[in-house]
Amino acid sequence: MEDRFVLRNVKTTDEKTIDLVIANNKIVEIAAPNTGKGDRIIDFDQNAYISSGWIDMHVHAFHEFNPYGDEIDEIGYKLGVTTIVDAGSTGTDRIHDLIAHSKLAKTNVFAFLNISKIGLQRIDELSDLAWLNEEEVQTVVEKYQDFIVGLKARISNSVVGENGLEPLEIARKISNATNLPLMVHIGSGPPDITGVLELLKKKDVITHYLHGKKNNLFNDAGEPLPEFLAAMKKGIHLDVGHGNASFSFPTAKQAKEHGIPLHTISTDIYRKNRLHGPVYSLADTLTKFLYLGYALKDVIDAVTVNAAKWLNKPELGRVVIGDVANLTLFSVDDQRIKLTDSDGLERFCDKQIKVKGVVVNGQFIEC
Ligand code: ZN
Ligand code: ZN
């Protein structure tokens, strides 16, 4: 039997009110308010926005690993996120287990493959070059090409140890050979950030680009490094990757003041920072960008259109008749909230993004 339901009186981020009709898991009609017909009417009375389903480009979804692990649906649809991208929790040793687990979840899952075979089983996964094996990566990438969207290399001192830039040089070589972009985690050096930037190409992702530690993308005067601007010109992609240690309000303010564009906003979420902060959820992370003064549409585009475009999956970033329905319903409440960055700095915002529900692969779930 056909399940046909109407999301009634929902607003787009352009402030247009519509009825959205879903049948057999697909969007079948975008109608004027109060005109959509179906067996079930879910009336939001103009108190909810609708967007294509949110995409979180940096999460840790392999439940077996600690500290960087969590259950897929806990950081996925239950937080309003219909698609998550695991950021290299697993390498060639365990990616098949992540894939098997993702098949049991409702949330859509893709992943960056860690270039270290052990992934985040240890958090110094690039400290021993014996854990990098180009052939194994190539075999796995070919086998799981629908699942793997890129390669992950965590290039900061606690991860690479004495190895400096060498793991990134190897990653570059594997990336070129497999034709998969890199997601590079940046943080404290050595290696120096300028050496990292030099090795990046168009479409590569820098995650944690707003971190507030030394060796970040801004000089002491708060201006973007020339090497950073040069990398932007090459077409690198910027991803927030908030996490426990990688989002700073002062750095984010510098980025905005210098017109650094907002590409994707992501959480770097896992059990600890979901339950105890400072991340909590993608919605809270988005609220931080409202606080910074970005327009709602730009903030939502950063977890829909922009992420879908990077993934080469435009259907995940639009609301179009005929597509499988992946949608997020949310409100922007006039309610004061205390926001905390990764360095413990607190800010207050008078608006708050809250998730009200999702449609994940055609199924409506209230949040
Ligand atoms: Zn990281
Ligand atoms: Zn991470």
Side-chain angles (χ1 to χ4, degrees):
M1 211 187 75
E2 182 177 277
D3 177 34
R4 186 184 173 99
F5 63 94
V6 182
L7 301 171
R8 172 153 288 173
N9 290 315
V10 290
K11 293 183 292 182
T12 66
T13 53
D14 303 322
E15 304 291 336
K16 205 175 136 203
T17 303
I18 54 169
D19 278 8
L20 202 79
V21 187
I22 290 144
N24 292 330
N25 303 327
K26 289 186 172 166
I27 299 168
V28 294
E29 202 185 334
I30 299 170
N34 293 308
T35 66
K37 289 188 174 53
D39 314 317
R40 273 192 300 157
I41 308 283
I42 307 154
D43 196 339
F44 286 90
D45 213 11
Q46 300 195 32
N47 288 318
Y49 286 96
I50 196 159
S51 68
S52 61
W54 292 354
I55 302 167
D56 192 339
M57 282 277 284
H58 184 155
V59 305
H60 291 286
F62 190 53
H63 65 298
E64 284 185 43
F65 285 169
N66 272 311
Y68 303 136
D70 209 338
E71 291 294 336
I72 292 168
D73 285 336
E74 294 300 321
I75 56 177
Y77 84 86
K78 291 184 187 177
L79 298 181
V81 179
T82 57
T83 300
I84 59 170
V85 185
D86 181 88
S89 302
T90 57
T92 53
D93 280 355
R94 300 299 302 276
I95 189 126
H96 53 279
D97 291 322
L98 174 64
I99 294 171
H101 208 63
S102 73
K103 286 181 179 149
L104 306 173
K106 283 188 201 294
T107 310
N108 301 304
V109 185
F110 299 103
F112 288 90
L113 177 74
N114 199 307
I115 56 155
S116 169
K117 60 192 276 167
I118 65 169
L120 300 183
Q121 192 181 322
R122 291 171 56 140
I123 56 174
D124 59 350
E125 75 275 10
L126 296 176
S127 61
D128 185 344
L129 297 176
W131 292 323
L132 279 84
N133 182 317
E134 181 173 344
E135 270 170 40
E136 279 175 20
V137 169
Q138 273 185 335
T139 309
V140 162
V141 159
E142 216 158 285
K143 192 167 169 194
Y144 303 123
Q145 42 187 292
D146 295 338
F147 188 78
I148 297 171
V149 298
L151 304 173
K152 178 79 186 287
R154 298 202 310 142
I155 307 298
S156 58
N157 192 251
S158 61
V159 184
V160 301
E162 303 289 297
N163 289 326
L165 278 176
E166 205 177 339
L168 184 58
E169 285 159 0
I170 298 170
R172 173 80 287 149
K173 207 171 135 241
I174 305 177
S175 158
N176 294 347
T178 54
N179 218 3
L180 280 175
L182 295 175
M183 176 187 261
V184 176
H185 139 131
I186 60 168
S188 299
D192 191 85
I193 187 66
T194 56
V196 173
L197 289 165
E198 247 170 57
L199 282 164
L200 301 185
K201 296 202 314 194
K202 184 181 163 81
K203 186 112 179 157
D204 287 340
V205 179
I206 293 186
T207 190
H208 309 318
Y209 81 104
L210 298 175
H211 81 73
K213 299 170 232 179
K214 284 200 168 33
N215 204 38
N216 74 5
L217 296 162
F218 299 83
N219 66 18
D220 292 339
E223 290 154 348
L225 301 177
E227 293 87 351
F228 174 32
L229 296 176
M232 294 290 299
K233 246 185 209 150
K234 281 193 278 186
I236 56 151
H237 179 100
L238 302 174
D239 178 63
V240 170
H242 186 316
N244 265 42
S246 304
F247 174 79
S248 147
F249 279 125
T251 309
K253 196 162 168 260
Q254 290 164 0
K256 184 161 192 295
E257 277 168 9
H258 288 94
I260 304 297
L262 206 49
H263 291 163
T264 50
I265 299 174
S266 66
T267 56
D268 190 10
I269 200 167
Y270 43 86
R271 277 179 212 101
K272 185 174 169 229
N273 68 31
R274 169 170 63 85
L275 296 169
H276 306 292
V279 174
Y280 298 111
S281 66
L282 185 57
D284 278 17
T285 306
L286 296 179
T287 297
K288 290 174 182 173
F289 286 82
L290 287 187
Y291 162 80
L292 287 162
Y294 290 94
L296 179 65
K297 187 179 187 309
D298 293 338
V299 169
I300 298 304
D301 279 357
V303 290
T304 54
V305 187
N306 301 359
K309 191 176 167 207
W310 188 89
L311 289 165
N312 296 325
K313 300 177 196 305
E315 69 280 5
L316 291 179
R318 64 189 185 199
V319 179
V320 167
I321 290 169
D323 282 354
V324 171
N326 281 293
L327 304 159
T328 301
L329 294 131
F330 60 97
S331 59
V332 182
D333 295 358
D334 293 319
Q335 197 181 348
R336 197 166 164 82
I337 179 177
K338 184 171 85 177
L339 303 165
T340 310
D341 75 2
S342 301
D343 301 316
L345 294 175
E346 293 172 353
R347 300 286 187 269
F348 288 88
C349 186
D350 291 323
K351 283 193 188 311
Q352 188 175 159
I353 297 178
K354 282 190 186 164
V355 172
K356 304 198 109 176
V358 288
V359 179
V360 58
N361 295 314
Q363 186 190 358
F364 174 72
I365 305 164
E366 218 178 313
C367 294

